[in-house]
Amino acid sequence: MGRGDLTNAEWDRLESFLPPGGARGGRWSDHRRVINGVLYRVRTGVQWRDLPERFGPWETVYKRHRRWSADGTWTMLLSQIQAAEDAAGRIDWDVSVDSTVVRAHQHAAGARKASTATDSKGARSGDEPGRSGVAETGGPAGGGGQVGECLGRSRGGFTTKIHLAADGRCRPLALLLTPGHYGDGPQFERVLEQVAVPRIGVGRPRTRPDHVLADKAYTSRRNRRYLRRRGIRHTIPERLDQQRHRKNRGSRGGRPTGFDSERYKKRNTVERSINRLKGFRAVATRYEKRAYIYLGTVTLAALIIWLRT
């Protein structure tokens, strides 16, 4: 086992959820070796062609990662680990929401203008056998172009923005990609809608946090109405201009929003979760042209954080 590879305990938790080998037309390459190859690349940010030989052919490692990013296998593995943690009572449902901007490498530009479904379907040519059909994930639709592949221009230059919700133990519960110039507030509902931790056994997935914390970027009336409609308690500070506007309207301005300054201190959990994600070099800098592949990279990094927390 090399530095950063899956330990035996981590492999035991993942093995039962992975696609079986030995299907018609050939066999999968060893799952553990290939996952360690993908993890090595996510951790170090090297080019796929520079993967060490101990992981096997780099094409196999790359195509497996691309396929599992497209068909939702990485997302499924993350959900299974979250479900096990929730069943054991190890998820703190005081959820914090925030975003971070990721600089996109110049090689991330230039994706062909084809839909994600067409691109991922084409990935089957020469890929490992054993899985029929590649479906789109619940992430970005893709389709080429900057906005279609979640690329934009912001103060940081050529960027992608990762929106996430983190539990009270600094682990990502939900992930969402947008172009770098998109605002935080309009994505608030979309991020919380991504929170869905399955139940082990019978029952619907858990989708409602006990409490939500966010900064002033999320203080719009629409977001507060959304939280009240779902019955979610929240701690979000009010901007000064909103306070003045409410006071100027008198009784028509409504009551002041409640704010617990002590509880708000716990919002640092999402910042620490972002720092953990950016400890993976292929997350801190985006190299992938396709948004769904980069989302798979971020999801794998989140999965490792859950396994090692």
Side-chain angles (χ1 to χ4, degrees):
M1 187 180 74
R3 176 176 176 268
D5 288 355
L6 293 174
T7 64
N8 291 333
E10 293 164 357
W11 171 247
D12 289 341
R13 297 185 68 183
L14 294 178
E15 185 178 12
S16 61
F17 304 118
L18 294 172
R24 180 181 178 184
R27 298 184 62 87
W28 289 89
S29 297
D30 179 64
H31 279 320
R32 185 170 184 176
R33 183 178 68 171
V34 173
I35 291 175
N36 283 334
V38 178
L39 182 57
Y40 180 90
R41 190 265 175 180
V42 172
R43 182 171 58 85
T44 62
V46 301
Q47 294 188 13
W48 289 103
R49 294 175 182 270
D50 295 331
L51 283 177
E53 293 182 359
R54 67 186 179 93
F55 299 120
W58 72 267
E59 297 96 334
T60 299
V61 180
Y62 167 68
K63 289 177 181 178
R64 189 81 57 87
H65 176 54
R66 182 174 63 177
R67 177 180 293 277
W68 284 3
S69 297
D71 66 11
T73 299
W74 294 129
T75 303
M76 178 273 294
L77 293 174
L78 177 60
S79 297
Q80 294 294 337
I81 297 302
Q82 290 175 344
E85 291 292 294
D86 189 39
R90 292 194 292 262
I91 293 184
D92 183 346
W93 283 96
D94 279 3
V95 173
S96 301
V97 179
D98 206 350
S99 71
T100 182
V101 173
V102 174
R103 186 68 182 266
H105 194 270
Q106 60 184 2
H107 294 164
R112 288 181 295 178
K113 293 185 178 180
S115 67
T116 302
T118 302
D119 181 76
S120 56
K121 183 177 180 181
R124 283 182 284 184
S125 176
D127 201 354
E128 304 91 350
R131 295 183 69 85
S132 59
V134 181
E136 290 187 31
T137 65
Q146 289 191 13
V147 175
E149 297 299 343
C150 295
L151 293 167
R153 298 283 179 178
S154 64
R155 289 184 178 181
F158 196 43
T159 53
T160 292
K161 183 174 284 189
I162 304 174
H163 305 263
L164 72 155
D167 79 332
R169 298 183 63 188
C170 311
R171 299 174 297 187
L173 277 171
L175 298 163
L176 179 71
L177 298 185
T178 64
H181 61 279
Y182 276 34
D184 292 352
Q187 311 305 322
F188 183 71
E189 294 184 25
R190 293 182 62 197
V191 173
L192 289 183
E193 292 294 336
Q194 296 289 326
V195 176
V197 177
R199 310 276 188 178
I200 293 182
V202 180
R204 297 179 179 178
R206 175 161 184 177
T207 60
R208 188 171 66 177
D210 292 333
H211 202 97
V212 169
L213 301 98
D215 60 20
K216 293 181 180 179
Y218 301 92
T219 187
S220 68
R221 292 183 178 181
R222 176 177 178 177
N223 289 339
R224 293 183 188 274
R225 284 196 301 266
Y226 168 77
L227 292 170
R228 286 195 297 268
R229 186 170 66 252
R230 293 190 59 188
I232 300 174
R233 293 174 295 173
H234 56 277
T235 300
I236 304 176
E238 191 178 25
R239 294 198 309 266
L240 292 179
D241 62 325
Q242 291 180 328
Q243 295 178 16
R244 289 194 299 267
H245 180 66
R246 175 172 46 77
K247 291 177 181 178
N248 290 339
R249 297 187 65 189
S251 59
R252 295 178 301 169
R255 294 177 297 178
T257 59
F259 179 71
D260 186 345
S261 59
E262 286 299 318
R263 190 156 198 168
Y264 185 69
K265 294 178 181 179
K266 194 176 180 180
R267 197 190 67 83
N268 71 83
T269 55
V270 70
E271 305 286 355
R272 291 153 63 190
S273 179
I274 290 171
N275 289 339
R276 288 183 177 184
L277 282 174
K278 287 194 169 182
F280 296 85
R281 291 177 178 266
V283 174
T285 302
R286 173 177 170 176
Y287 299 100
E288 289 83 358
K289 295 181 185 295
R290 294 297 185 189
Y292 76 91
I293 300 180
Y294 181 63
L295 181 60
T297 298
V298 180
T299 302
L300 175 58
L303 172 63
I304 298 303
I305 290 173
W306 277 87
L307 287 173
R308 297 178 176 174
T309 300

